[in-house]
Every structure is written in C-alpha cells, then in structure tokens.
Amino acid sequence: MDTRILTTDGLQALVDALQTRGFHVLGPAVRDGAIGFGPVREVADLPAGWGDEQEAGHYRLRRRDDPLLFAYAAGAQSAKPLFFPAQEVLWRARHDANGVHPTPPDPEAGADGPVAVLGVRSCDLAAVGIQDEVLLGRRYGDAAYALRREGTFVVAVTCSHPAATCFCGSMGTGPRPGAGTAPAAPYDLAMTEVLDEHGHRFVVEVATERGGHVLDEAVRAGAAVPAAGPEDLAAADDVAARAAQAMGRQLDTSGLKELLYASAESPVWDEVATRCLACANCTQVCPTCFCTDVRDVTDLTGALVERDRVWDSCFGAEYSYIHGGSVRASTRARYRQWLTHKLASWEDQFGMSGCVGCGRCITWCPAAIDLTAEVAALRHDGGGRRDGP
Amino acid sequence: MLPRRFRVASTRHDNHDTLTVHLEPCDGAPLAFAAGQFTMLQVFGVGEVPISISGDPRGSGPLQHTIRDVGSVSHALAFAAPGEVLGVRGPFGTGWDVADGKGGDVVLVAGGIGLAPLRPALLEICAERDDYQRVSLLYGARTPSDVLFGDDLRTWAERHRITVEVIVDRGEAGWTGRIGLVTQLIGKVAFGADRRLALVCGPEVMMRQSAVALVARGVDPSRIRLSMERNMKCGIGLCGHCQLRELFLCLDGPVLAFDRLEPLMARAEL
C-alpha cells in the first residue's frame, strides 16, 4: 500500500493542489457551536484544538490543549447535505398564454465546481455509500444526486476520538476508513492524524490513482510528502486501535431484523412513545435518512410555478396521511417505523443496515432517547416470544 | 421528476363527488399502461397525487382517471377545465395481471372508488371474454347515488356475461337492491375449484375482510390480489412515504398478493 506522510504544511499543499484542480474544498468547521462542514481554503480554517463532548441529548465543543485538527467525533451533520440538500428545486415553470412548461434547473448554475471533501470520517463514508445505493442503485435514480456525487474527491479521516454516543465498531463501519466490514463510498485518500514524539503529522493512505497524482502535485508545489516509515504506520494503527476501544456504546446486531419484525407489538414502543416528542431531530441528523416531501410554490400572480423537494421525516403526522387520516397516527407507530426501517426492513430493501453507528440520533434527541438502549429493551422484552409461534 | 403535459379533453360527472377526467397528451404520444397501474397526476402550482388509471389499457382513447373530490389537489384535478394542462408522471407500479386468470373463474371485489382501478381489468376481460370462465363483480357502495359507472355495470352484465352484484350500506327511496357489506356477497359467488383469481380494491379494512372471506371460500392467498393505498410523493421509490415495512408500495405495489400482505395488514399503523 502506498502510504505517505503529510505535515500541516503538507496538508495545506494538498488543499492548494485540490483548489488548483478546480475543486471546491469543504471540510470540518466550527459553526454555531458545533462541528459542521464549511469551505476550507487554508488549514487554519479547520477546527484546530477543538474537541467535543457528546452524550444522549448533549453536545458541547471543548477546547483541547493540543493542536489536533480532527480530534472530535461525528459533527452535527454528516456529509449527506453536500450531495443531498435539505431543499432543492425539481423544476420551474412560467404560466403564460402557451400554458405551463416545467423545466429542470440548470445544474451548472450556482455550483462552485466539483466538490472535494476533507475529513470525512469512516461512519459518514459508509453513510454516503448507503445513500449511493438508495438513490442510485435501483430502478429509478436521483439524477441531481448523481450529478453532485460525480467526480467528488474524498479525503477520509480515521476517527481518533469517538464520542460516548458512538458505536461504529458494532456496525462494522469504522473507526478507520476501509477497515470496516460494511460497504462504504469510495475515497481517494485516507489520513490518520498522529501526534507523538516524532511530531504532528498525517499518515495518508493513497487509495486511488487520482489521489496519488494530487499528492504528487503537492510535491511539485514544494511540499515534502515522504513515504511513511514503519513507526508512522504503527502510530496510525495505534490511533485506530485506541479509537476502537474508546467506542462509547454498542449495538448487538445479531438477528436484529428478526428481532425488530417479531417485536411489532412490543410494549417497548408504548414506553418509548411516552418520551419521544416526534420532533424529527433524529431523522434530520441521520446520515442515511432519505425521505423527502415536495412543495409547490407560486408567486403572487400564479405566473411562476416552482416545485421543490425538501427533507421529510417519518415522525410527522402528514408523512403517512391519506384521505381519512394518518396511517401512523401514534408516536408509538412512528418510532416503530423509524427504528424498524433503519435496522431491519432496510436490509430487505437494500441488502444492508440503514445505521452506521454515528450516534447522532442519540446526541441530538432532546429527550435523550438512545436507539442502542431501545434495541436492548426489545431484546429484554423478547420480541418474538410475545408475538411469535 | 419532470411531468409530461396532458390537456383536459373532457370531464364526466360520475356521481355527486366523483369525476372522470379525460386527458390527451400535448406531445401526441399516448401513455401505455397496464391495468392496475397509477400515475402521479398534478395541477401545476397546486400539488400532485397518485391516481389509478381507470380507462381501457387496450384502447387508443384519452387517458382516464376517476377522481373523488376529497382534498385540495383532488378537487383541483377533478374540476380542471377542458383545455387546462395537467402534469402526468408514470405509469408506475404493478398491475392486476388479469390475464393470469385466463382459463378459470375471476371474481372482482370493489368498494367505493375502488371500482375505478378495477375498471381497466374488467375492460381487459371483456375484450377477451371467451378466454375466461365465470366472471363476477361484487361491488359495494355507500348509497345508490354513490354507484359509479352505471352504464358500464349494465354493459358488463348484459353484453359480457359478467355477474354484477351491487350492494349498498344505506338504501334510498326506490332502491330495491341489496343492503349490507360487500363481504357478504363473497359467500355466495359462483366459483370453480381451480384456477381462481380474485382482484380486490377498496378501503383497506374492506380489502382485508374480503380477502379473509375469499380464503374461507378456499381461494389460495397467492391468488388474491389487493391494490394498496399509501401517501406517495414520488412514485419511484425515492421519497419513502409509501413504505409498508420492507415494501415500497409504489414499486412493489400497489397490486400485491394477499399471502405477502397478510402479516403486514394484520398490524395496526404499520
């Protein structure tokens, strides 16, 4: 394997090389008191010396006493909105004497060029892979998503500081890109951030030819990008191994589909419904949730018509509305739908789990509902015993 | 996600709240479909809803949708003026595959507006009537004034040897027909012992009870087909709304066999 070393100066040279190639470089940034994605022009744009503290219903950024750039867990949003925006125009039309002629928006208009994403952690890389399957892998694809995904350059990062809400180890998606058992989106480079007696550096695995070329371009621009030595590889392995040990939560995935299907009438749903606010936060931060609604917008004269697609949530009352009422009128039924889809029916639909273990639904639930605890409660309840043969 | 443009050619009032809209393609290319399929039909600027096609799948006439005026979008669709341009996407979903019933007896059970998605299947049977054995239509409506497609019902009975039984929840002055639930008729319908096919469309509870009654008559659950209704925003499996556990009803359905649906329909709010 081609593995090289970047210093922070080398990382800047990588960002420069990507920009020279015309990429709009995005990476983690401190926004509104949380880690999100923002434009990266300089390494100084990255959240140096920031860490986080996460628990069920709790997220705080914390100052660290070191210069690490990626020493935090999953941010408030995954890479999902970069390719699957919360709102997008499906078509626009002008209503005139000739009638209405819907036309899709020009995909080039307003675009900043192809995207290079820096610092995609392993769980989120798996989530992008899941979204690729959901939105592109079946009979009908999402053309706008395909266009946004096309040519994306990905610099993945090993998660070095998992949160108390993390369980990617259980889902086979992390903490190191490429080392998980679940399918993931492709990446060009994968880096592991190391800080030890040999200094602060990034051990970079070159995964694609294009990734190697970009590093070569950084070298031609004057950066030192030496091959990694055995001590570098060992240090990177150690970062990943310690992260795997630091996983704050676990999810027993054995027979999960059968458990969820057999638990349809479990009293656990009634109990969780007493706490669940049906606020949809979990679905808004989930890196794999893909449900959408459409909105028709007109100007005051009715001459301009626009059809927008927006993220939706199975926790809403209108989500399942048909004439006569909502199919899932109760919070009990909505939580059951969400968890059963994520962990069970997703397998039947797409041949994989819909959960990557990022823990966001736990962190951002205002009622601190923890899906790992709910699954444990279903196991304790016995699901199938109540309901089965 | 871009709709095709169809112009309203004419509209027929079927009863006090239901209309059939006839559409002609603006680009001249007719929309081929299978009986039981639906389209996503929209009024520009108002909204889009899934509506089953109610016309003849073999005909070259206008595209027909029978619409009950129950919401803002269905109202705008049903009362679209002749000449107005509507958006059509599709056809989507699975069909009845009624030809699979050739050589045997076919029973169709309809509840209310559920007769509309079954109409293409009936027209398909009429076109090749001799290929089928006994064909029965059991149709339940709320009141005699709610009965749809009265001319069709007479034609099917008189010209195509289809046993048509109509039953209403509540009678009205002059009604001499049956009063009760459509499921009551299933016990009496004439059935052969083999190659039986049942197609059921109506409110979910009516479909489930009908299917249970058909099973009680000895029909194999895999030979009972139901057309399921759920909220749909895309029709192509992307929006998530129509899920019934592992099924995307827009792709896997709307027409599905009862053996597949039974465990899912048994759960409230699934």
Side-chain angles (χ1 to χ4, degrees), chain A residues 90-91 98-104 134-135 138-142 261 264-265 290-294 296 298 305 307 312 318-323 327-330 333 336-337 341 345 348-350 387, chain B residues 1-3 5 7 40 42-48 68 70-71 85 89 91-93 142 204 229-231 233 235-248 251-252 266-270:
Chain A
L90 292 176
W91 54 256
N98 299 320
V100 181
H101 293 268
T103 49
V134 171
L135 298 173
R138 293 178 296 151
R139 196 184 328 167
Y140 298 98
D142 179 336
Y261 282 0
E265 304 297 346
F290 60 86
C291 287
T292 53
D293 194 2
V294 281
D296 292 284
T298 59
V305 184
R307 191 163 175 82
D312 200 4
E318 289 193 9
Y319 179 86
S320 63
Y321 182 84
I322 50 176
H323 172 62
V327 172
R328 297 184 202 99
S330 68
R336 178 180 68 184
Q337 165 62 22
H341 185 215
S345 40
D348 280 336
Q349 293 170 344
F350 306 109
D387 199 59
Chain B
M1 297 297 274
L2 209 59
R5 300 167 70 251
R7 197 173 297 281
M40 295 299 293
Q42 71 181 298
V43 179
F44 294 116
V46 178
E48 183 184 51
R68 193 162 158 233
V70 289
V85 173
R89 296 190 299 117
F92 297 128
R142 285 186 190 183
E204 196 162 316
E229 182 188 10
R230 282 294 182 275
N231 189 318
K233 297 293 184 184
I236 54 177
L238 296 176
C239 81
H241 284 251
C242 68
Q243 287 174 86
L244 178 59
R245 212 175 68 180
E246 70 273 22
L247 302 171
F248 287 97
L251 295 176
D252 303 314
R267 306 258 178 247
E269 295 190 81
L270 200 67

